[in-house]
């Protein structure tokens, strides 16, 4: 690729990243003209791998609770965002632990479903649990 083409792609990438930033975030990276440098600056600022950040993120899945009135899809999306944040810090949660954490986040309204899902099971898979929760919500709406 020519230098001109590479510069255009870098310029477009920087513009795209800047469009997604809040005003207070934008000021710290205004002078960065290279997408890689811009991204690195944002990553260093917002995704630090400090011990405090790691502790806070590791606590999140345990504190996470279903909020009455939101859709199960939104709840699952929020839960997956927490898992993604942990993954960004090189903390991987096992599939069976994801399922148990998700079950833990549900309100008493889902107690009967939790009992049914766990009855005579050695292990429950996160994917199966997610699908069951969404399907249960659809059935309730009908």
């Amino acid at each position: 690729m020519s230098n001109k083409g590479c510069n255009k792609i870098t310029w477009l990438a920087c513009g795209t990243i800047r469009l997604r930033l809040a005003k207070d975030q934008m000021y710290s990276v205004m002078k960065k003209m290279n997408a890689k440098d811009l991204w690195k600056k944002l990553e260093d600022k917002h995704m630090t791998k400090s011990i405090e950040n790691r502790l806070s993120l590791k606590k999140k899945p345990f504190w996470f609770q279903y909020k009455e009135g939101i859709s199960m899809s939104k709840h699952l999306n929020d839960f997956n965002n927490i898992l993604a944040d942990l993954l960004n810090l090189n903390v991987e949660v096992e599939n069976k632990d994801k399922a148990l954490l998700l079950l833990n986040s549900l309100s008493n309204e889902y107690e009967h479903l939790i009992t049914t899902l766990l009855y005579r099971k050695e292990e429950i898979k996160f994917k199966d649990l997610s699908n069951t929760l969404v399907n249960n919500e659809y059935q309730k709406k009908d």
Side-chain angles (χ1 to χ4, degrees), residues 1-2 14 17 20-21 25 36 39 46 51 57 63 66 69 71 76 81 83 91 97 101 108-109 112 120 127 136 140:
M1 180 180 293
S2 70
C14 286
I17 294 169
R20 304 294 296 170
L21 298 176
Q25 294 172 324
K36 182 180 176 187
W39 192 260
H46 297 287
I51 191 72
L57 284 173
W63 292 343
Y66 177 75
S71 71
L76 289 169
N81 285 340
L83 296 177
V91 176
D97 292 332
L101 288 168
N108 290 338
E109 176 186 344
H112 69 284
R120 290 194 173 192
K127 183 179 177 182
N136 182 59
K140 282 183 181 180

Side-chain angles (χ1 to χ4, degrees), residues 19-127:
L19 283 173
R20 304 294 296 170
L21 298 176
K23 286 183 182 180
D24 61 328
Q25 294 172 324
M26 197 178 312
Y27 294 120
S28 65
V29 294
M30 279 176 41
K31 294 181 181 177
K32 299 290 181 192
M33 300 311 243
N34 182 317
K36 182 180 176 187
D37 295 340
L38 190 148
W39 192 260
K40 181 72 173 141
K41 174 85 173 176
L42 288 169
E43 187 178 56
D44 290 345
K45 184 175 182 182
H46 297 287
M47 289 299 294
T48 59
K49 295 182 181 184
S50 67
I51 191 72
E52 297 89 5
N53 196 14
R54 291 177 68 83
L55 177 62
S56 174
L57 284 173
K58 283 187 174 188
K59 286 181 178 180
K60 262 187 180 182
F62 296 101
W63 292 343
F64 184 68
Q65 291 295 306
Y66 177 75
K67 295 174 186 76
E68 296 297 324
I70 69 164
S71 71
M72 187 52 66
S73 296
K74 168 95 171 89
H75 181 70
L76 289 169
N77 189 41
D78 293 344
F79 185 75
N80 283 323
N81 285 340
I82 291 170
L83 296 177
D85 288 344
L86 286 170
L87 197 56
N88 285 334
L89 293 177
N90 298 326
V91 176
E92 192 162 342
V93 181
E94 288 185 33
N95 193 3
K96 61 185 177 186
D97 292 332
K98 288 179 194 178
L100 293 175
L101 288 168
L102 182 57
L103 285 174
N104 182 58
S105 75
L106 299 175
S107 64
N108 290 338
E109 176 186 344
Y110 290 91
E111 197 63 38
H112 69 284
L113 185 63
I114 293 170
T115 303
T116 304
L117 289 170
L118 295 178
Y119 183 70
R120 290 194 173 192
K121 291 226 176 170
E122 301 254 343
E123 185 177 324
I124 188 164
K125 295 180 182 170
F126 178 72
K127 183 179 177 182

